[in-house]
Amino acid sequence: MSAYAFFVKNERDKIKVLDPGGTVDFKDFSRACSAKWNAMTVEDKVPFKDLADDDKARYKRDVEMMGGKIREERRIPMLLNVLCLHFSYLLVIIVPSFVRSILIGQFPS
């Protein structure tokens, strides 16, 4: 997660403590967080940047522990999704014309 994401999570946790059962308007909350983040000094952002650096280091350790297979495992399902999507488009284009040619009795040569 980024430093800003850790900051937003921290702000959300503060709101949960103050009003445990309440709801928050996402649009207003996002604007308030953005304004507060932009008004913060570099020194105020350091704890969140440290958390982000620690999270990045944890992610790298996890990838190394898995033998670098995290990205490879994600590629296969993504590739299958893309192939299925393209195949479905082919079905939409080819199958109706094939069915129509069977019904009419005219087959492409």
Side-chain angles (χ1 to χ4, degrees):
M1 287 189 346
S2 68
Y4 180 72
F6 278 107
F7 168 74
V8 170
K9 182 182 181 306
N10 184 47
E11 292 298 306
R12 178 68 179 129
D13 292 343
K14 286 180 188 177
I15 291 174
K16 283 183 181 179
V17 168
L18 295 174
D19 189 13
T23 59
V24 176
D25 180 44
F26 180 75
K27 184 177 177 181
D28 294 336
F29 176 72
S30 296
R31 284 183 179 167
C33 285
S34 177
K36 191 172 180 180
W37 178 260
N38 289 330
M40 291 171 66
T41 64
V42 174
E43 292 82 22
D44 293 336
K45 294 179 183 180
V46 167
F48 302 107
K49 291 186 179 184
D50 290 342
L51 287 171
D53 291 340
D54 292 344
D55 190 51
K56 187 176 182 180
R58 178 206 50 83
Y59 175 77
K60 285 184 180 181
R61 281 192 312 272
D62 290 350
V63 169
E64 289 172 4
M65 190 170 64
M66 296 291 292
K69 294 182 180 178
I70 291 176
R71 292 193 184 272
E72 292 173 10
E73 290 172 0
R74 288 182 63 198
R75 282 187 191 149
I76 293 171
M78 288 173 53
L79 179 62
L80 289 175
N81 287 340
V82 169
L83 289 175
C84 289
L85 180 66
H86 288 298
F87 184 70
S88 66
Y89 284 132
L90 286 175
L91 286 176
V92 168
I93 294 169
I94 295 172
V95 170
S97 62
F98 181 71
V99 170
R100 187 176 59 244
S101 64
I102 290 174
L103 293 174
I104 297 172
Q106 296 175 346
F107 297 97
S109 21

